[in-house]
């Protein structure tokens, strides 16, 4: 299959393709999505095939507004979903609600619920509007790879596997949406994202539980290794400079050609590629996936990331993505947590 890159000022071919049951990659404010008509099972099957995505990993359905959420919902709108949607849509927030039959089971991972989000990106909105259907769109990467934040990233992963990529520049957020399961009470934070836990709780005026921490694991598809570049990722999760320096020196012996993503002061500790990031969760969130892909180009022995985790705001999301991407996490006191799978 030939993959064509379409410019954002003429969306008509992308719109026609989607109407005809084809898949099209397009930009959203979080990451690039691989979209298809969410009501068309055959079309959505192509998403799973192109990505190599396991069938038990459901897709997020993209709509324009709360009315379109009501169209795919069964029963009463959960109060939590109503509040969150009123506050954060359009934007990087996905709600899980009980589903009617509009969205096929294949899209929902064969579950009675559906994940729905309203993107704010003008290109994503124009496509949904023009197609006149909700669009199922997971991240437009091969399964297991870092999510794409630029058309070139989609090209790298899916060239020859999909017909069209719409180039709309960089995704401004750079991390996937926050997912809240509103089909249960209290709601569950299934995937941390740009909108932090504290913000969700203040909008809802009550607790949002975290699977693993306060509730059993309940996020399908989250068991797979995710977000990983080709080189092994090693996360130095430490606070003190002298601990970090020691860890970097040890790693350099083991991986002489390692690449490093860290704040400026650590550049002196590597000989290989270096990507400077600020020491804040916001800056790491914005650069993590594109940084993985960029550093990976030089075929380093390892990609090392220096950042001390925190659970404030987008910090929880960065920690979650790093945990899933890394093969090894080094924490203080010389304790090493080896991540298996
Ligand atoms: P992605 O499309 O790659 O951003 O991933 C979507 C994620 O949303 C999946 O991996 C699931 O964890 C979650 N998800 C989607 N649909 C549902 C659902 N019906 N119930 C629970 N989680 C869901
Ligand atoms: Mg994904």
């Amino acid at each position: 299959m030939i993959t064509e890159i379409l410019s954002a000022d003429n969306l008509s071919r992308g719109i026609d393709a989607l109407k005809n049951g084809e898949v099209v990659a397009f930009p959203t404010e979080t990451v690039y999505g691989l979209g298809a008509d969410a009501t068309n099972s055959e079309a959505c099957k192509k998403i799973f095939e192109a990505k190599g995505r396991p069938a038990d990993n459901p897709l997020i359905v993209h709509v324009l507004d709360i009315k379109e959420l009501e169209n795919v919902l069964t029963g009463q709108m959960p109060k939590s979903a109503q509040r969150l949607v009123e506050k954060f849509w359009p934007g990087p927030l996905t709600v899980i609600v009980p589903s009617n039959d509009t969205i096929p089971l294949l899209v929902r991972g064969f579950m009675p619920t559906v994940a729905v989000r309203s993107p704010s990106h003008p290109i994503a909105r124009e496509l949904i509007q023009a197609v006149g259907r909700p669009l199922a769109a997971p991240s437009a990467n091969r399964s297991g790879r870092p999510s794409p934040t630029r058309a070139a990233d989609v090209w790298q992963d899916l060239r020859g596997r999909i017909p069209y990529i719409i180039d709309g520049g960089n995704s401004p957020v750079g991390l996937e949406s926050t997912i809240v399961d509103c089909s249960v009470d209290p709601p569950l934070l299934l995937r941390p994202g740009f909108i932090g836990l504290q913000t969700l709780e203040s909008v809802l005026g009550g607790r949002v539980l975290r699977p693993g921490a306060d509730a059993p694991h309940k996020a399908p598809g989250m068991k797979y290794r995710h977000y990983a570049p080709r080189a092994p990722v090693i996360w130095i999760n430490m606070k003190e400079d002298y601990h970090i320096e020691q860890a970097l020196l040890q790693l350099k012996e083991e991986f002489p050609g390692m690449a490093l993503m860290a704040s400026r002061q650590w550049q002196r500790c590597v000989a290989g590629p270096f990507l400077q990031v600020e020491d804040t969760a916001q800056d790491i969130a914005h650069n993590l996936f594109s940084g993985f892909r960029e550093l990976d180009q030089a075929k380093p022995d390892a990609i090392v990331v220096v950042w001390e985790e925190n659970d404030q705001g987008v910090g929880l999301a960065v920690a979650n993505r790093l945990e899933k991407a890394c093969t090894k996490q080094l924490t203080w006191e010389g304790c090493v947590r080896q991540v298996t799978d």
Side-chain angles (χ1 to χ4, degrees):
M1 183 186 297
I2 292 173
T3 302
E4 272 186 78
I5 303 200
L6 305 176
S7 110
D9 36 78
N10 183 2
L11 297 180
S12 59
R13 290 179 63 206
I15 292 163
D16 288 345
L18 288 166
K19 282 184 177 163
N20 291 329
E22 279 304 331
V23 296
V24 175
F26 61 85
T28 84
E29 72 278 20
T30 56
V31 300
Y32 272 67
L34 181 61
D37 175 350
T39 63
N40 179 340
S41 245
E42 285 306 307
C44 291
K45 215 167 128 197
K46 296 178 187 167
I47 294 179
F48 287 91
E49 285 165 4
K51 284 182 57 90
R53 186 176 175 104
D56 64 352
N57 192 356
L59 310 179
I60 294 173
V61 171
H62 292 68
V63 299
L64 285 178
D65 52 30
I66 193 163
K67 273 209 206 81
E68 295 190 358
L69 168 63
E70 282 161 4
N71 293 341
V72 300
L73 164 85
T74 189
Q76 281 268 320
M77 173 81 72
K79 278 224 166 60
S80 54
Q82 173 99 28
R83 288 222 174 107
L84 292 175
V85 160
E86 276 169 5
K87 178 79 186 170
F88 297 112
W89 277 14
L93 176 90
T94 299
V95 291
I96 311 271
V97 294
S99 180
N100 64 27
D101 294 334
T102 312
I103 304 300
L105 279 167
L106 173 82
V107 174
R108 296 189 261 136
F110 306 91
M111 287 189 299
T113 50
V114 61
V116 188
R117 174 168 109 79
S118 177
S120 63
H121 197 290
I123 295 177
R125 297 188 70 78
E126 193 174 336
L127 294 174
I128 301 166
Q129 169 108 51
V131 174
R133 298 272 168 80
L135 297 179
S139 49
N141 50 282
R142 288 299 296 267
S143 239
R145 300 259 302 139
S147 297
T149 58
R150 305 163 294 198
D153 300 340
V154 183
W155 172 258
Q156 185 181 47
D157 272 22
L158 297 177
R159 172 184 37 186
R161 306 179 69 89
I162 60 173
Y164 299 111
I165 300 169
I166 297 171
D167 188 349
N170 285 8
S171 289
V173 173
L175 271 193
E176 305 85 350
S177 59
T178 303
I179 304 181
V180 183
D181 187 348
C182 297
S183 72
V184 289
D185 191 23
L188 267 177
L189 177 65
L190 289 190
R191 179 173 72 190
F194 188 69
I195 299 168
L197 181 64
Q198 301 79 9
T199 310
L200 297 171
E201 290 186 327
S202 78
V203 168
L204 292 174
R207 281 203 73 198
V208 173
L209 303 186
R210 287 164 59 183
D214 350 80
H217 249 286
K218 218 205 127 203
M222 300 276 171
K223 60 181 181 282
Y224 301 105
R225 180 145 187 253
H226 266 76
Y227 317 121
R230 289 194 179 86
V233 174
I234 299 171
W235 174 18
I236 300 182
N237 180 1
M238 297 178 185
K239 181 187 177 64
E240 304 294 345
D241 283 359
Y242 69 102
H243 288 148
I244 296 171
E245 180 153 3
Q246 192 194 3
L248 282 170
L249 293 176
Q250 278 172 5
L251 285 171
K252 200 172 153 192
E253 283 195 8
E254 198 180 338
F255 305 100
M258 74 188 189
L260 182 63
M261 191 188 303
S263 61
R264 191 201 201 112
Q265 59 173 320
W266 302 117
Q267 182 161 18
R268 62 189 157 79
C269 295
V270 278
F274 177 75
L275 183 83
Q276 188 190 323
V277 285
E278 303 294 321
D279 216 359
T280 61
Q282 286 81 353
D283 200 50
I284 308 243
H286 188 65
N287 289 295
L288 189 69
F289 291 143
S290 54
F292 277 167
R293 284 178 183 268
E294 223 158 281
L295 293 172
D296 218 20
Q297 302 263 339
K299 302 205 168 30
D301 314 334
I303 296 177
V304 177
V305 183
V306 178
W307 178 68
E308 196 209 8
E309 78 176 304
N310 68 70
D311 63 3
Q312 295 304 300
V314 76
L316 205 57
V318 172
N320 166 270
R321 305 308 189 274
L322 273 170
E323 222 160 74
K324 291 205 158 133
C326 77
T327 50
K328 206 193 257 185
Q329 183 183 153
L330 308 180
T331 55
W332 71 294
E333 287 182 329
C335 145
V336 177
R337 254 195 282 163
Q338 191 93 32
V339 181
T340 44
D341 241 342

